[in-house]
Amino acid sequence: MLEPQDERILHHLQRDARATNQQLAETVGMSASACWRRVRGLEEAGVVQRYTALVDRERAGFAMSAIIHVSLERHDATFVEQFVSRVKARPDVLECFATTGDADYHLRVVARDMEAYNRFLDEFMFRLPGIRHVRSNVILKEIKTEVALPF
């Protein structure tokens, strides 16, 4: 369980990871050295995994986005490990979740256009061994895209 000071730090880091330690300390009402120690502790504990920039998908040239529902033929370790390792290696797969329900996995994929998305399906998804079923939902409009946790 996180302490309230850590939650305040994380809340502000999620909003602006480029803030200096001094700015962050002032925002959360701590000394700069205490804030630095807490941030380092959060990083070392793996709570803060990395720092990154949020890029607008469409402005960066990725006009196409889809959710893919994947069902595996078998769930033995070999097929699962192979599927997971290949999906992890694909930069156009932004997220992959093992799920319950009708599909075993849900992937969020981006592509520059429909032609590139079709190539992704034909040259990658449909060639993975052990796949029983692949269903796509093309994202028409992103209503809410958030990565910040609600502290």
Side-chain angles (χ1 to χ4, degrees):
M1 188 59 106
L2 295 172
E3 295 182 24
Q5 292 169 314
D6 295 328
E7 288 187 2
R8 285 197 311 273
I9 288 170
L10 292 169
H11 172 79
H12 291 288
L13 276 177
Q14 289 181 126
R15 302 288 182 264
D16 183 8
R18 293 184 69 180
T20 65
N21 183 64
Q22 183 64 41
Q23 292 168 327
L24 182 59
E26 289 172 8
T27 302
V28 298
M30 300 174 71
S31 71
S33 59
C35 184
W36 182 83
R37 282 192 301 274
R38 285 196 174 267
V39 170
R40 285 287 171 248
L42 291 166
E43 292 168 347
E44 290 169 3
V47 176
V48 174
Q49 295 178 344
R50 66 180 181 194
Y51 297 91
T52 188
L54 296 177
V55 177
D56 184 287
R57 171 183 61 80
E58 290 182 6
R59 290 180 182 166
F62 293 90
M64 173 81 203
S65 185
I67 304 294
I68 300 177
H69 311 262
V70 178
S71 298
L72 299 182
E73 194 68 47
R74 296 187 305 229
H75 291 92
D76 66 44
T78 303
F79 284 107
V80 171
E81 289 170 12
Q82 193 173 47
F83 173 81
V84 168
S85 68
R86 288 186 179 182
V87 165
K88 283 182 174 181
R90 291 294 301 216
D92 41 4
V93 177
L94 300 185
E95 296 176 299
C96 177
F97 303 98
T99 60
T100 61
D102 293 336
D104 298 311
Y105 294 91
H106 288 81
L107 287 65
R108 187 166 68 91
V109 176
V110 294
R112 296 211 177 263
D113 53 32
M114 185 59 81
E115 183 179 331
Y117 182 66
N118 279 327
R119 273 195 315 277
F120 168 83
L121 291 173
D122 290 340
E123 297 171 9
F124 177 68
M125 286 304 302
F126 297 150
R127 294 180 187 222
L128 288 173
I131 300 291
R132 178 178 43 152
H133 184 73
V134 174
R135 191 180 82 213
S136 293
N137 292 106
V138 173
I139 296 173
L140 300 175
K141 185 187 332 181
E142 292 179 8
I143 306 301
K144 180 177 182 181
T145 302
E146 185 64 60
V147 295
L149 296 175
F151 291 108

